[in-house]
Amino acid sequence: MNILEKITQNKSAFSKSERKVAEIILDNPQTAIHSSIATLAKMSDVSEPTVNRFCRRLDTKGFPDFKLHLAQSLANGTPYVNRHVEESDGPEEYTKKIFESTMASLEVARQSVDINIINRVVDLLTQAQKISFFGLGASASVAHDALNKFFRFNVPVVYFEDVLMQRMSCMNSNEDDVVVLISHTGRTKSLVEIAHIARANDATVVGITSKNSPLAKECNLVLSLEVPEDTDMYMPMASRIAQLTLIDILATGFTLRRGGKFRENLKRVKDTLRGSRFEKRQD
Amino acid sequence: MNILEKITQNKSAFSKSERKVAEIILDNPQTAIHSSIATLAKMSDVSEPTVNRFCRRLDTKGFPDFKLHLAQSLANGTPYVNRHVEESDGPEEYTKKIFESTMASLEVARQSVDINIINRVVDLLTQAQKISFFGLGASASVAHDALNKFFRFNVPVVYFEDVLMQRMSCMNSNEDDVVVLISHTGRTKSLVEIAHIARANDATVVGITSKNSPLAKECNLVLSLEVPEDTDMYMPMASRIAQLTLIDILATGFTLRRGGKFRENLKRVKDTLRGSRFEKRQD
DNA sequence: CATCAAATGTAGTAAATTTACAACTTATTC
DNA sequence: GAATAAGTTGTAAATTTACTACATTTGATG
């Protein structure tokens, strides 16, 4: 992928002159991307077509294309690794690591998400008579957040932290209701039971959970998130952020589906809050 | 730094035709880097020199140089534009945009965060007799999450959603207590009042909020997060994610400060949960 | 040492980018 | 509301850049 590595690897396959070009580029890639083919040829002490042939040998369309690849390889300033926090880390290190690994998790989550299912879930949500969000432990705050979002849409939305309340709520559900269950592992017993109860009452059950988990099997639709967790810390972090982002996406899909007039309504809700706030200084 | 962000920011400073170019590029940057100035001009329905002028306005040497910058911005690591969701976006687009802008916000948050203050807040938290987390609206779920994390540390930790409970709790606080207040805008009246009450009772008040806000002024320490929000959607999204990440960082700092034995204890808490879960299939 | 294949370079061509200038639009002033 | 200035945009020519076709060289082999 990285073109600099590729050059190093293929070095032996190059011809004498091509190798000269390779040396110069590896030696000072930053200069290379800002040079024309003529300057680079002169620097490497070869002819221009040789430089061009060198580029083609690396599966690029030509010199300009090669420069783009090179530029991208050089831009990799933020290595993406899911680096784990270590005992010896100071504030600077762990802050950096947590930010980076959170971003990396989002990238992983993005790739693992299935757009079709998102679309179907949005469909369901827009048609639901009542929407419930349930989660336990760390996922409770995600459900809480979902409540906050969907509440603004003026849709009957339900959220309970209490397991018994969750059960009772599901027992009273019917086929027009959507129950969204959030769990990273998908192995929390009481949540799986709740899924079961909800389905027994003909509600549609959507899981935001890990693929192939017991919970996933009880759901009508599963938004699976495969996010690596730093288990050393014994706390769910990345999974929650991914779940929240998914909630954001569902909420956004919901508002878009409901159209422009609906957005007006949202604005009104927001404006209502104004009275509870200090005015923003105009500067 | 990132040129896509730069385009979005300077959008207002552009002329009409330049803005057309900006639209096209933001809309499909991947295509842009592989196009010639002529194709891009045609796509934007402007003349070639206009495209060139557009590039210069962004402090690049010219079109080829601009493409290099763009390529670098698109490379893994810093790909993220703060692109806003639009009415016409389908599930694919808005999913992509939300993931990307969330990641971008985290990058912005990372840069705006002050490590020294993080360190001092961790100090305070480890020494606190009682820790309270309060937030309202969207920030309530962040406080909720913080409760979840710090609860595991076997520290007296308090969280209320109810404003009155928050007030009463703060009235009973003393100089060994730390009150963490979470608010994106920092202009929520009741939260500012709570900060005032807590300080009047000698508690240390930490704000996770925007710099120079009324709330920030009432706090002993401010962890300021300057995160751009897509106000079109009328819902806080990015700010929450950044706040949560900050909570993760504080929690991590906390566990690290408490040392190895403490981590043992965390593991025990986690093991206790096992009974409530289905066993993980060994495969 | 003749011959072929691979490698490299030369020169010309095509393409892309930039510059200079003219036409046009939009604000500003009297 | 006309006159003028400032800013914006486009046309066409100039220049730079990259590529192609072909010629020359190098080196290996019978």
Side-chain angles (χ1 to χ4, degrees):
Chain A
M1 202 84 307
N2 184 313
I3 201 131
L4 283 167
E5 293 187 22
K6 207 170 177 180
I7 296 174
T8 333
Q9 277 174 18
N10 291 33
K11 218 169 182 178
S12 50
F14 290 147
S15 73
K16 210 194 318 170
S17 305
E18 282 167 351
R19 214 166 300 149
K20 279 199 246 175
V21 181
E23 298 286 353
I24 294 291
I25 289 169
L26 288 175
D27 214 49
N28 207 337
Q30 206 60 49
T31 312
I33 57 171
H34 292 114
S35 311
S36 71
I37 196 167
T39 354
L40 203 61
K42 201 168 281 175
M43 283 201 290
S44 318
D45 196 31
V46 298
S47 71
E48 296 179 24
T50 302
V51 177
N52 192 289
R53 283 187 280 258
F54 165 83
C55 297
R56 297 240 166 107
R57 201 170 289 271
L58 290 156
D59 303 316
T60 62
K61 269 194 76 187
F63 184 69
D65 189 41
F66 168 78
K67 281 210 289 193
L68 287 177
H69 280 264
L70 189 57
Q72 295 206 326
S73 302
L74 290 172
N76 263 342
T78 341
Y80 239 20
V81 211
N82 197 0
R83 293 199 296 162
H84 292 208
V85 174
E86 277 159 50
E87 200 84 37
S88 56
D89 286 342
E92 194 151 351
E93 283 88 42
Y94 64 72
T95 301
K96 196 179 168 210
K97 284 183 179 177
I98 291 175
F99 268 114
E100 282 186 3
S101 66
T102 305
M103 286 189 272
S105 311
L106 280 175
E107 181 61 38
V108 172
R110 170 162 79 136
Q111 278 159 17
S112 77
V113 130
D114 184 330
I115 308 280
N116 289 321
I117 296 186
I118 287 191
N119 203 21
R120 285 170 62 192
V121 173
V122 170
D123 260 342
L124 281 171
L125 292 175
T126 44
Q127 283 154 29
Q129 287 288 319
K130 189 180 78 182
I131 306 173
S132 314
F133 292 99
F134 300 138
L136 294 167
S139 304
S141 61
V142 177
H144 188 170
D145 185 77
L147 167 80
N148 237 295
K149 287 228 152 51
F150 282 83
F151 167 78
R152 296 180 185 218
F153 301 159
N154 198 21
V155 186
V157 52
V158 166
Y159 153 78
F160 294 113
E161 248 190 289
D162 186 300
V163 184
L164 289 178
M165 294 294 276
Q166 294 178 355
R167 292 177 81 108
M168 288 191 282
S169 174
C170 286
M171 280 177 187
N172 289 326
S173 61
N174 63 54
E175 78 262 16
D176 295 324
D177 295 349
V178 175
V179 177
V180 182
L181 299 177
I182 304 159
S183 165
H184 173 50
T185 61
R187 292 197 302 278
T188 309
K189 281 178 188 167
S190 38
L191 215 61
V192 177
E193 286 165 26
I194 283 161
H196 198 79
I197 295 168
R199 286 201 64 179
N201 286 280
D202 299 321
T204 310
V205 178
V206 176
I208 297 184
T209 187
S210 149
K211 212 190 277 181
N212 301 324
S213 63
L215 176 58
K217 283 175 190 130
E218 291 284 341
C219 295
N220 295 95
L221 273 173
V222 178
L223 279 166
S224 70
L225 280 175
E226 307 300 324
V227 176
E229 275 293 359
D230 183 348
T231 44
D232 293 353
M233 288 269 75
Y234 310 116
M235 289 182 293
M237 301 207 223
S239 57
R240 252 176 8 175
I241 304 275
Q243 288 163 359
L244 279 170
T245 309
L246 216 48
I247 298 288
D248 286 351
I249 290 168
L250 293 178
T252 304
F254 192 98
T255 56
L256 290 179
R257 193 69 61 87
R258 288 287 178 98
K261 276 177 203 160
F262 182 66
R263 303 268 292 283
E264 283 297 310
N265 189 54
L266 263 187
K267 190 165 168 9
R268 271 211 307 284
V269 173
K270 199 190 175 193
D271 292 345
T272 314
L273 289 173
R274 195 159 290 161
S276 69
R277 297 218 172 112
F278 288 110
E279 282 302 312
K280 187 166 194 172
R281 210 161 24 98
Q282 301 298 330
D283 47 5
Chain B
M1 201 83 312
N2 183 313
I3 200 132
L4 284 165
E5 303 261 2
K6 206 169 176 181
I7 296 174
T8 334
Q9 277 175 18
N10 291 33
K11 218 166 180 178
S12 49
F14 290 146
S15 73
K16 210 197 312 172
S17 306
E18 283 167 350
R19 213 166 301 148
K20 279 198 244 172
V21 182
E23 300 284 354
I24 294 288
I25 289 170
L26 288 176
D27 213 50
N28 207 338
Q30 205 61 48
T31 311
I33 58 170
H34 292 114
S35 312
S36 71
I37 197 168
T39 355
L40 203 62
K42 202 166 282 175
M43 283 200 291
S44 319
D45 196 32
V46 297
S47 70
E48 298 178 21
T50 301
V51 177
N52 192 284
R53 283 187 280 258
F54 166 84
C55 298
R56 297 241 165 104
R57 200 170 289 273
L58 291 155
D59 303 316
T60 62
K61 271 194 74 186
F63 184 69
D65 189 41
F66 168 79
K67 280 210 288 192
L68 288 177
H69 281 265
L70 189 57
Q72 296 206 326
S73 301
L74 255 46
N76 284 340
T78 28
Y80 322 118
V81 212
N82 198 359
R83 291 201 294 164
H84 294 207
V85 175
E86 277 160 49
E87 200 85 36
S88 56
D89 285 342
E92 195 151 352
E93 284 89 42
Y94 63 71
T95 301
K96 194 178 167 209
K97 283 182 179 177
I98 291 175
F99 268 114
E100 283 188 0
S101 66
T102 306
M103 286 189 271
S105 313
L106 281 175
E107 181 61 39
V108 172
R110 171 161 78 136
Q111 277 158 18
S112 76
V113 129
D114 186 330
I115 308 280
N116 289 320
I117 296 186
I118 286 191
N119 204 22
R120 285 169 64 191
V121 173
V122 170
D123 260 342
L124 281 171
L125 291 175
T126 46
Q127 282 154 29
Q129 288 287 319
K130 189 180 80 183
I131 306 173
S132 314
F133 291 100
F134 300 139
L136 293 167
S139 304
S141 61
V142 177
H144 188 168
D145 186 78
L147 167 79
N148 238 294
K149 285 228 154 48
F150 282 82
F151 168 77
R152 297 180 184 218
F153 302 160
N154 199 22
V155 186
V157 51
V158 167
Y159 154 78
F160 294 113
E161 246 190 292
D162 187 300
V163 183
L164 289 178
M165 295 293 277
Q166 293 177 358
R167 292 178 81 108
M168 287 192 282
S169 174
C170 285
M171 281 177 184
N172 289 325
S173 62
N174 63 54
E175 79 262 17
D176 295 324
D177 296 348
V178 176
V179 177
V180 182
L181 299 177
I182 304 159
S183 166
H184 173 52
T185 60
R187 291 196 301 276
T188 310
K189 282 178 187 166
S190 37
L191 214 61
V192 177
E193 283 165 27
I194 283 160
H196 198 78
I197 294 168
R199 286 201 65 180
N201 286 280
D202 299 320
T204 310
V205 178
V206 176
I208 297 183
T209 187
S210 146
K211 212 188 276 181
N212 301 324
S213 62
L215 176 58
K217 283 175 189 130
E218 290 286 340
C219 297
N220 296 95
L221 273 173
V222 178
L223 277 165
S224 70
L225 280 175
E226 306 301 323
V227 176
E229 275 292 358
D230 182 347
T231 45
D232 293 352
M233 287 270 76
Y234 309 116
M235 290 182 292
M237 300 208 221
S239 58
R240 252 178 8 176
I241 304 275
Q243 288 163 359
L244 279 171
T245 309
L246 216 49
I247 297 287
D248 286 350
I249 290 167
L250 293 178
T252 304
F254 193 97
T255 58
L256 290 178
R257 192 66 62 87
R258 288 285 177 101
K261 276 176 204 163
F262 181 67
R263 302 269 291 283
E264 282 298 309
N265 189 55
L266 261 189
K267 190 165 167 8
R268 270 211 306 286
V269 173
K270 199 192 175 192
D271 292 345
T272 314
L273 289 173
R274 194 158 292 161
S276 69
R277 296 221 172 107
F278 289 110
E279 282 304 311
K280 186 166 194 174
R281 212 159 25 96
Q282 301 297 330
D283 47 4

